[in-house]
Amino acid sequence: MFAVYSQDHQYHNPRFELVDGQFSPPFEHPRRAETVLAQIREISLGHILPPRDFGLSAILRVHDEGFVRFLQTAWNEWSLVRGEGDAFPFTWIGRAMRRDKVPETSDGKLGYYAFDAGTPITSGTWRAATTSVNVALTGQELVAKGERAVFALCRPPGHHAARDCYGGYCFLNNAAIAAQAFRDAGAERVAILDVDYHHGNGTQEIFYDRRDILFVSLHAHPRQEYPYFSGYEDERGAGTGEGYNQNYPLPWGTDWTSYREPLEDAIRAIRNYSPDAFVVSLGVDTFEKDPICKFQFHKEDYLRLGEAIARVNKPTLFVMEGGYAVDELGLNVVNVLVGFENAC
Ligand code: OKP
Ligand code: ZN
């Protein structure tokens, strides 16, 4: 299997993250991608290709233009007022406040476009986030041209980024942009399976009213877990997209034994949909030792997960999302890819 990687992810290297009311070392850091790269080299997964530059057009198929321009200039505008540190919002749109007006100032725009306070924007965030999109799109192009499967080693991740919102360590939605690119390259139906521990609220929102892109997600229940306000079972899509969004919220403590059935159900739904292309939002923060998550996957379970994904039996693009147990991260990711390849 080809992998796509660029070291430019390193341009997103925040100094701190707001965790439990304190500025602490970030969970989402450059070493994550490097350890996954080392592990795919170690097992000789296949050639590792650099991304090519796709420009902004594919991004603008999915994201709001004002939002994209904001991300592009956010840190520069912040630094003119606030100096060299990373940009954090300090305000939010309250329930009954105006969401139809975008403020002009740095603080105002950060509050308008962010949905959490744990996602700093740094001087290099735009460069890293657009590279991450290019990694996904390079993988997408290879799959569209006939590869059975490609692994896009994206960083920063993307599945929390919505049409005009960033948060959850995500700025641009790599998986959604790739799924739309499959459609634009002629695929009639695209399925996305999100196995990250957290609900992919961004991907869900982007395709919520569409039936040409099926979104299926297994994740920790939002009544207990981030992102809290999205990911319930009754979110099933809207309008012509009704029935084409499927959530499997699962309780804290979920292990492979209790994950298997909902996963089989999800895979069955995707097979019935018969997509022309298949995108997997691959987070391995379901791991028992993940520092910010509460599922109980063991390392061998990722082989089984890869086998299950292979049963969809369609051209497949893996897009890297979360996973924060950095010592085991590479092995867990590779186990999914190896399990997949062995079952093909
Ligand atoms: C991104 B992805 C820790 C809070 C962490 C943010 C989680 C973002 C996850 N106390 N909150 O889906 O892996
Ligand atoms: Zn996650």
Side-chain angles (χ1 to χ4, degrees), residues 21-40:
Q22 305 230 20
F23 283 99
S24 332
F27 288 106
E28 203 296 291
H29 53 69
R31 219 154 47 85
R32 292 182 57 250
E34 280 147 30
T35 187
V36 175
L37 176 70
Q39 205 52 233
I40 61 179

Side-chain angles (χ1 to χ4, degrees), residues 31-43 45 151 153 282-285 287-289 297-306 320 322-340:
R31 219 154 47 85
R32 292 182 57 250
E34 280 147 30
T35 187
V36 175
L37 176 70
Q39 205 52 233
I40 61 179
R41 284 210 171 112
E42 173 81 25
I43 64 145
L45 180 74
F151 173 50
L153 210 180
L282 178 58
V284 294
D285 40 8
F287 187 51
E288 55 181 339
K289 289 186 205 148
F297 276 43
H298 306 304
K299 58 183 191 299
E300 323 77 56
D301 299 333
Y302 292 102
L303 289 162
R304 306 288 95 77
L305 177 58
M320 188 71 217
Y324 308 97
V326 72
D327 291 340
E328 292 94 347
L329 177 61
L331 177 64
N332 291 339
V333 169
V334 150
N335 273 353
V336 176
L337 304 176
V338 167
F340 175 92

Side-chain angles (χ1 to χ4, degrees), residues 147-276:
E147 286 301 315
R148 166 72 179 90
V150 175
F151 173 50
L153 210 180
C154 294
R155 180 183 173 271
H159 72 150
H160 295 301
R163 186 175 156 71
D164 66 352
C165 279
Y166 76 97
Y169 312 150
C170 303
F171 304 93
L172 297 167
N173 194 318
N174 309 308
I177 294 165
Q180 180 64 48
F182 274 121
R183 283 284 291 118
D184 293 340
E188 278 186 31
R189 286 178 306 283
V190 182
I192 305 171
L193 174 67
D194 189 326
V195 296
D196 186 280
Y197 171 83
H198 303 94
H199 180 238
N201 60 285
T203 317
Q204 166 171 307
E205 187 212 276
I206 288 165
F207 299 123
Y208 203 63
D209 59 1
R210 287 170 56 173
R211 64 194 306 156
D212 59 332
I213 300 188
L214 171 70
F215 180 67
V216 181
S217 177
L218 293 90
H219 48 264
H221 205 295
R223 73 175 161 240
Q224 294 176 311
E225 192 53 89
Y226 185 94
Y228 302 114
F229 312 111
S230 180
Y232 286 79
E233 214 171 310
D234 64 359
E235 296 159 22
R236 302 197 65 253
T240 61
E242 189 167 355
Y244 295 87
N245 191 90
Q246 219 160 298
N247 285 326
Y248 296 85
L250 304 166
W252 276 347
T254 292
D255 61 5
W256 179 251
T257 315
S258 36
Y259 194 89
R260 228 178 41 212
E261 262 186 46
L263 177 65
E264 282 312 317
D265 206 73
I267 299 283
R268 206 175 307 124
I270 293 167
R271 287 178 62 111
N272 287 340
Y273 182 69
S274 186
D276 303 304

Side-chain angles (χ1 to χ4, degrees), residues 92-99 229:
W92 316 108
I93 303 176
R95 231 178 296 288
M97 290 181 172
R98 297 289 291 264
R99 52 185 68 238
F229 312 111

